[in-house]
Amino acid sequence: MSGPHRKIPPRRMPCDRPGLARALSVRPPSTVELSRHDPRFAELNRCTLTMIGGGMPGAVFTVGAAPLLLGRSQECELRFDDPSVSAVHAEISRAAGEVYLRDLGSTNGTFVNGAALIKPRALQDGDRVQLGRDGVVRVSFGDEGEERARKALYERAIRDRLTGLYNRAFFDERIEIELASARRHDEPLSLLLLDVDHFKALNDRYGHLAGDEALRVLGAILRKAARKEDIAARFGGEELVLLARGIGLAKAGVIAERLRRTIRAARISYLDQNIAVSASIGVAARANFTHFRTPAELINAADRALYEAKRGGRDRVAFANEVT
């Protein structure tokens, strides 16, 4: 139809997900949109999210082309260990040159800088997004160098420099969260406590630098054995630890025995010498009838099992009984 009564088709807006474009209001192009073809500003559209509370404080996530889900479910890219956060709580995605946040029908709501989120909203540098009671992330925009710097600072804060494993402070924080989650959902959680056999004798014979090299090699073995959801950490001195989510005592024992054999077969190269090492491993698990109530109970049970492995001749795996 021509003339004044001709219907003009509605303007379509680019969007990763159907429905989000319809919810966004038409507005003038942003500075980022106007400058996105200028190579001087091409990198300024990089968006990172720094977790402040409700999960792993300090963890940095990048908003890429694909939408990010925020919530309590393991399916979410940003996972919050907070019962007041819904399983799938909110989504962050790119549309029309901006980074948008929308609530996905959460129980306790989503807030930006203290204001309740009613409809999808374009995020700005410095915004604070809150989910439920304790889930908080900070929004940052910048170039690739700034993004790398944020991630590097976080990694340095949570990693043991010698082994590359998580440090004790990070482990102590995570075991609190993981045990609380396991109790809340009645799921298994296993702890493997590993100690290098005759470590003092190794240092006395070959020197402390050889001992450091042994710990580096064992750290690499433990990192390789850990799944994405596991926490592999340096517990202290020559003791390493693996916290395995969703695994009971039997499966944890299989992992421990595989670790023991791998360590026994490894050779530490130091000053043209091949040094053999072994490790004893104590295993404890919150599963079935072993309902440890606190991290200290779980750690102490694994420590007693480790002592039994040492007393039984070393280079072996021993299992804990429940703390009563």
Side-chain angles (χ1 to χ4, degrees), residues 40-275:
R40 294 173 301 171
F41 300 100
E43 286 297 317
L44 295 181
N45 203 26
R46 300 181 76 91
C47 178
T48 58
L49 309 170
T50 303
M51 189 171 284
I52 305 299
M56 294 186 292
V60 179
F61 301 86
T62 300
V63 179
L68 290 178
L69 292 177
L70 291 73
R72 204 177 64 251
S73 170
Q74 294 187 18
E75 300 174 1
C76 296
E77 288 82 8
L78 271 71
R79 185 169 177 265
F80 296 83
D81 297 291
D82 178 358
S84 68
V85 174
S86 296
V88 181
H89 194 111
E91 178 192 74
I92 292 178
S93 60
R94 291 184 178 273
E98 301 275 14
V99 175
Y100 281 89
L101 169 71
R102 67 165 173 162
D103 186 86
L104 298 178
S106 66
T107 301
N108 295 308
T110 302
F111 301 83
V112 180
N113 302 326
L117 184 68
I118 306 302
K119 61 182 180 180
R121 168 174 173 166
L123 295 173
Q124 304 296 323
D125 186 51
D127 281 347
R128 289 174 67 92
V129 176
Q130 181 171 348
L131 286 69
R133 184 182 64 253
D134 298 323
V136 180
V137 295
R138 184 178 65 244
V139 180
S140 301
F141 286 89
D143 60 23
E144 185 178 3
E146 291 172 317
E147 178 184 347
R148 285 201 305 266
R150 291 188 192 101
K151 291 183 176 180
L153 284 172
Y154 176 64
E155 284 296 310
R156 282 201 293 270
I158 65 172
R159 293 285 179 181
D160 174 67
R161 292 186 180 183
L162 178 62
T163 63
L165 300 168
Y166 290 116
N167 58 30
R168 176 65 184 271
F170 182 84
F171 169 77
D172 286 345
E173 183 176 276
R174 290 306 304 175
I175 193 172
E176 289 272 3
I177 293 171
E178 295 295 340
L179 185 57
S181 178
R183 292 183 64 189
R184 185 165 58 247
H185 300 290
D186 195 22
E187 294 176 344
L189 179 70
S190 290
L191 181 66
L192 286 67
L193 186 58
L194 179 156
D195 185 86
V196 182
D197 294 329
H198 304 295
F199 190 70
K200 183 180 183 301
L202 187 155
N203 282 333
D204 291 344
R205 180 176 180 182
Y206 298 102
H208 285 83
L209 293 181
D212 286 350
E213 184 59 26
L215 289 174
R216 271 192 288 268
V217 171
L218 266 62
I221 291 172
L222 194 58
R223 289 200 310 274
K224 186 175 181 180
R227 304 167 302 163
K228 182 180 179 181
E229 61 268 34
D230 295 338
I231 305 296
R234 186 178 182 185
F235 191 72
E238 67 273 22
E239 290 185 331
L240 311 179
V241 66
L242 181 67
L243 186 65
R245 181 193 299 167
I247 289 179
L249 197 63
K251 288 185 178 179
V254 173
I255 295 172
E257 181 59 28
R258 188 184 304 130
L259 270 173
R260 186 197 66 78
R261 290 198 303 266
T262 302
I263 292 168
R264 193 72 181 87
R267 291 296 180 270
I268 314 302
S269 297
Y270 180 72
L271 296 181
D272 298 325
Q273 299 180 88
N274 288 323
I275 306 170

Side-chain angles (χ1 to χ4, degrees), residues 2-14:
S2 60
H5 299 292
R6 179 172 62 87
K7 292 184 177 180
I8 300 174
R11 176 177 177 266
R12 296 182 63 84
M13 298 177 66

